Amino acid sequence: MTTDSRASAAFLIDEALGFWFPAALRAAAAVGVADHLADGPRSPDELASATGTDAGNLYRVLRLLATRGVVAEDPEGGFRLTPLGDALRTDAPHSARSAILMNTDRSLWWPAASMDRCLTEGTSAFEGIFGMPFFEHFAQDAETAAVFHEGMAAMSDPENAPIAAAYGFPDAGTVVDVGGGHGGLLLEVLRGRPGLRGVLYDQPHVLAGHRLDTEETKGRWSVAEGDFFTAVPAGDVYLLKRILHDWDDDQSVTILSRCREALAPGGRILVIDAVVPRDNAPHQSKTLDVLLMAALVGRERTEADFEALFTAAGLRLSRIVPTPTVLSVVEATAV
Ligand SMILES: C[S@@+](CC[C@H](N)C(=O)[O-])C[C@H]1O[C@@H](n2cnc3c(N)ncnc32)[C@H](O)[C@@H]1O
């Protein structure tokens, strides 16, 4: 074995150990460590009694989190929150806590551990583990649903305003947010455009958590429940943010076709997803793509993939508007 091959092996082994960091991040988020550091540094003993945890083990988790700047240990042994770790607080602006709990939930963790089945069997790993498709699993009880939908809203929260600002939305007509979750993006699109109306379309248990009812949007929003494979409400602009990536090509064409059928003349369908770059560089879409493979039946797509979907649904790709987030607005119009 040469020195280089030793270094390569050591590197790959370190990579394989990498999953323990998100596990520690999850543990800290689950017990609410950051909420108890908001007022300044505390010793592991103080933190342990505030969070009802074991002080020795809590210290070990914090020591690992400090290696990536989430917290910092001072020379006296106290831990403080860094500006990075501040985003772990439950009430931080754009708090990441719920998104971390969702992204490390066993509904994703267990399929990740079974990813080899995706390769050997050519299928998603989720149904084999949980006995039902992804969204059914999350709809089965309120607590499980909250993990996903609050997590999804938290994941979307920092990207909604930049997306709403990056695309030239009209100030008239009706925007339908298809599978819009709690409505964070629709709210940002309606803000500052007083002539625009919005419809939030999703499943009933999701709509119960919507946040559209604000002074600024008074009288300009409604919610509609239904199944986007069957029909969608009429509108001038459709938003499909992180929707098509959950589904396979045939299912995606069905969703797009339902939107095209309901689209007003001259209207637009905006697919807001990552456009996977064709290079070897890291990109969140390449990570989410294997998540979607293992836990759902979907995929992240390239520009050519979107063109093919649109053509099959009687649409054409008119332009791609990049945003400051990892997502782009892929605009489609009727042929
Ligand atoms: C990945 S989340 C995206 C939520 C939101 N657009 C965002 O970016 O935060 C997918 C959404 O699709 C909704 N959904 C799943 N299946 C659906 C269906 N058949 N009809 C309507 N909505 C559905 C889910 O409830 C969820 O809110």
Side-chain angles (χ1 to χ4, degrees), residues 16-205:
L17 287 169
F19 78 94
W20 289 100
F21 185 83
L25 193 59
R26 174 185 179 79
V31 302
V33 163
D35 293 343
H36 295 281
L37 287 176
D39 296 328
R42 299 180 87 170
S43 70
D45 282 345
E46 288 169 336
L47 263 182
S49 75
T51 54
T53 57
D54 180 90
N57 288 345
L58 181 60
Y59 172 74
R60 296 157 77 181
V61 166
L62 293 173
R63 181 170 60 185
L64 177 59
L65 296 184
T67 64
R68 299 212 199 161
V70 178
V71 291
E73 185 178 1
D74 61 34
E76 291 74 43
F79 281 90
R80 67 180 163 80
L81 218 46
T82 62
L84 180 67
D86 196 61
L88 257 188
R89 283 193 299 109
T90 311
D91 58 358
H94 310 301
S95 171
R97 183 174 179 224
S98 306
I100 289 165
L101 293 175
M102 172 194 70
N103 278 310
T104 55
D105 186 71
R106 62 187 177 172
S107 55
L108 297 178
W109 203 285
W110 291 359
S114 299
M115 199 188 289
D116 51 335
R117 285 175 59 177
C118 303
L119 305 183
T120 55
E121 296 168 23
T123 59
S124 163
F126 193 92
E127 275 203 59
I129 299 168
F130 293 98
M132 66 186 89
F134 189 81
F135 286 109
E136 268 179 44
H137 170 76
F138 281 105
Q140 68 182 341
D141 69 73
E143 204 178 314
T144 309
V147 170
F148 181 75
H149 296 292
E150 283 171 20
M152 201 56 231
M155 187 162 170
S156 296
D157 189 47
E159 58 199 19
N160 289 332
I163 291 169
Y167 182 82
F169 283 97
D171 189 12
T174 300
V175 177
V176 182
D177 194 352
V178 178
H182 288 175
L185 176 63
L186 186 57
L187 182 61
E188 292 299 337
V189 170
L190 292 178
R191 274 190 175 141
R193 296 180 183 92
L196 200 56
R197 300 182 60 80
V199 180
L200 181 64
Y201 185 61
D202 208 302
Q203 300 171 315
H205 69 278

